[in-house]
Amino acid sequence: MPYSQFTIAQIAAQISGDLDDEGQLFWSQSEIVLAIYESLLLWGAATNYWRSSGTFNITPNRATPYYDISSATSTSAQMAALRTRNWTLGTMVADIQNMLNEADNGISGAGMSAQTSITTILTAIQRARNRFVLDAQLPYTVNTITQPPTTQGTYPYAQSTVYVHRVTWKDSTSGVYENLWRQDAWAYDKSYPNWPSMPGTPVAFSELENAPLTLQLYPPPINTGSLEAITVDSLILNTASAASTFNIPDEWVHAVKYAALFELLSSDSQINDPLRADYCNSRYSQYVSLVENATSIFRVTVNSTPLPTDSFANIDANFPYWRNQSGIPTMAGVIYDMLLFSPGSALQTASVSCDVARTAPLPSLTQSIQLGDEDTTRVIDFATHLLLFKCGGNEFKSTYVNHDNFMSAVAARGQINAAKIMYMTAQFQSDQTEYQLRPNRKRGKAK
């Protein structure tokens, strides 16, 4: 049963009163609504508060065994509505303009002052988007690379690739897929010193020794073939279109905003503001830390039968040829919004149900916020804190306690959820298992 206590319009009016701006002259209603939405998205991302179930079908003879539940093309509109990636460039630009006390006319830049330009804002957003996907290593994309490798076993891959997470080799002669494990030349040189002159079926890959955008396969392939890679990709935004999206889960998109604001406020210009720049950098780091422990899928059933879930890495290790096998799904691999099923090819169409930590529902003005009174108060406090950003100085600093109280409430809600779903703890840890088994040593942490 949905909550029906407070509408967005009622909460916006209360915030206006708290800010002594009942006429919404300094803080417009649309500006306040964006602050409320940001608060809700962060609440959902940090607590897994909103959980829901969606369905889609798996079909025989599908070209790929991977399903991105946030993509209607890969799964269904129902799943994509639960795990949204709809935040637009126009919305983010207006949000930044509000926070810088500029006219919020979006990508046109109409009415802006001389403290910064719309071109500078758009450039900062573009750079921030790609900074975030490099730091957070989200979202994942499946790419097939068909260009033949060299005789030395090197393989070029797409220029948009930021990070290669997983690679599979498909031999063109046998049609067999072979999972490749990350390796480096030092280990292979010591173990198999003659590997460059002994082609065979590749079993490992490395990115370390070669130029960017090149994979080294060990050993060099004896036959032609192709690579199937799970990667994290950069994106060139169409900054001429306000409808451009970031291809990032909506709950994390504000990390991009804070990275962009950090760049703007730490620039050598009249907009320079060390206090707010440091705040933005801290908020960006907060989002990246949250992503490192985030999970979106925590239960999977096929034809109403629950499946054990595990990391992609564990399925690769325990069922190394799952990609070549057909049958009734017996395992589900999970890495954030992406699913695979083992065996890799279904024998018949089957109905899949996924329980997910959904993106926060963002109601319209006349719709009710989907939180109880006990948590709505913290959302109001946090939104007020965000709105004071454009005032800067001590007026903004005085609301830091609002942020701290909000995060304390997040932690308390997390403890409540842990009690509610205590038996699902292992399911929530599949992403962390993945990071530990496919190590990416960043910031001193295995990921």
Side-chain angles (χ1 to χ4, degrees):
M1 180 178 178
Y3 284 101
S4 58
Q5 294 173 299
F6 307 100
T7 66
I8 290 288
Q10 289 171 328
I11 293 174
Q14 180 176 333
I15 292 173
S16 294
D18 293 342
L19 294 170
D20 197 21
D21 185 33
E22 288 85 352
Q24 298 181 338
L25 301 177
F26 190 65
W27 288 280
S28 67
Q29 186 181 67
S30 61
E31 182 178 359
I32 296 171
V33 169
L34 284 178
I36 296 171
Y37 284 174
E38 180 178 337
S39 303
L40 293 173
L41 287 166
L42 179 57
W43 180 269
T47 66
N48 292 325
Y49 181 85
W50 289 284
R51 297 181 293 275
S52 191
S53 181
T55 61
F56 64 93
N57 289 335
I58 55 175
T59 56
N61 303 316
R62 194 170 186 268
T64 172
Y66 310 102
Y67 296 82
D68 184 346
I69 64 168
S70 66
S71 169
T73 301
S74 177
T75 52
S76 68
Q78 182 184 39
M79 293 302 307
L82 296 176
R83 299 287 313 144
T84 60
R85 297 184 188 180
N86 300 330
W87 209 260
T88 66
L89 177 64
T91 300
M92 180 172 290
V93 170
D95 198 2
I96 289 175
Q97 288 168 329
N98 286 325
M99 297 183 80
L100 297 178
N101 203 16
E102 292 283 0
D104 60 347
N105 292 319
I107 66 172
S108 70
M112 288 180 59
S113 71
Q115 68 170 337
T116 191
S117 68
I118 189 61
T119 300
T120 303
I121 291 176
L122 291 171
T123 300
I125 290 174
Q126 171 69 78
R127 289 154 58 106
R129 188 271 174 196
N130 288 334
R131 175 190 173 187
F132 175 74
V133 298
L134 180 60
D135 289 342
Q137 296 168 13
L138 282 178
Y140 295 103
T141 302
V142 180
N143 290 304
T144 300
I145 307 167
T146 57
Q147 185 170 338
T150 66
T151 55
Q152 294 78 30
T154 57
Y155 226 114
Y157 53 90
Q159 296 190 20
S160 60
T161 303
V162 169
Y163 173 71
V164 178
H165 179 73
R166 179 185 181 277
V167 180
T168 301
W169 166 262
K170 182 183 181 183
D171 188 287
S172 61
T173 301
S174 66
V176 172
Y177 289 89
E178 181 82 35
N179 177 61
L180 307 185
W181 291 97
R182 191 181 299 274
Q183 191 56 273
D184 61 64
W186 187 91
Y188 236 79
D189 288 345
K190 296 299 181 183
S191 302
Y192 308 98
N194 297 322
W195 69 264
S197 59
M198 299 178 64
T201 300
V203 296
F205 75 97
S206 171
E207 298 175 273
L208 183 63
E209 298 77 26
N210 300 295
L213 304 178
T214 305
L215 294 179
Q216 173 69 60
L217 305 187
Y218 304 112
I222 195 169
N223 298 320
T224 60
S226 59
L227 291 182
E228 181 181 76
I230 296 179
T231 63
V232 178
D233 296 344
S234 62
L235 174 70
I236 303 301
L237 288 167
N238 178 8
T239 55
S241 172
S244 296
T245 57
F246 296 90
N247 193 29
I248 292 173
D250 285 346
E251 60 263 38
W252 307 120
V253 78
H254 290 93
V256 176
K257 181 184 77 168
Y258 286 109
L261 280 167
F262 169 72
E263 180 173 322
L264 293 167
L265 293 168
S266 58
S267 63
D268 186 17
S269 66
Q270 62 175 302
I271 202 175
N272 180 276
D273 186 336
L275 169 68
R276 293 191 296 170
D278 286 347
Y279 171 84
C280 291
N281 198 40
S282 176
R283 290 297 312 281
Y284 174 77
S285 298
Q286 177 190 63
Y287 272 103
V288 172
S289 296
L290 287 170
V291 170
E292 289 177 350
N293 296 297
T295 300
S296 64
I297 303 169
F298 56 95
R299 185 170 181 266
V300 180
T301 67
V302 174
N303 290 339
S304 301
T305 300
L307 290 189
T309 61
D310 210 334
S311 66
F312 282 22
N314 272 344
I315 288 179
D316 285 337
N318 293 315
F319 310 99
Y321 293 101
W322 67 268
R323 183 71 173 84
N324 305 290
Q325 297 167 346
S326 299
I328 298 171
T330 58
M331 290 284 296
V334 177
I335 178 168
Y336 205 62
D337 280 344
M338 190 169 286
L339 271 171
L340 65 78
F341 294 95
S342 174
S345 180
L347 289 177
Q348 59 189 22
T349 299
S351 175
V352 177
S353 175
C354 286
D355 292 351
V356 299
R358 63 160 298 175
T359 306
L362 303 179
S364 65
L365 281 171
T366 58
Q367 293 176 321
S368 297
I369 188 173
Q370 291 306 298
L371 279 174
D373 183 47
E374 69 281 1
D375 294 320
T376 301
T377 301
R378 295 306 182 196
V379 168
I380 292 172
D381 288 346
F382 191 69
T384 304
H385 162 67
L386 296 175
L387 292 165
L388 264 294
F389 180 92
K390 74 177 180 182
C391 297
N394 288 330
E395 193 168 4
F396 175 53
K397 286 177 65 177
S398 69
T399 67
Y400 280 9
V401 67
N402 290 28
H403 170 275
D404 295 342
N405 289 339
F406 178 84
M407 296 311 298
S408 294
V410 163
R413 177 56 64 179
Q415 293 171 356
I416 293 171
N417 284 343
K420 287 182 177 179
I421 53 178
M422 58 183 299
Y423 298 112
M424 300 300 292
T425 301
Q427 311 288 5
F428 276 108
Q429 293 175 343
S430 61
D431 284 352
Q432 287 71 49
T433 301
E434 182 79 23
Y435 297 146
Q436 291 163 6
L437 294 177
R438 297 188 197 272
N440 173 29
R441 306 291 179 181
K442 292 182 64 178
R443 301 179 296 280
K445 179 178 180 180
K447 182 174 181 183

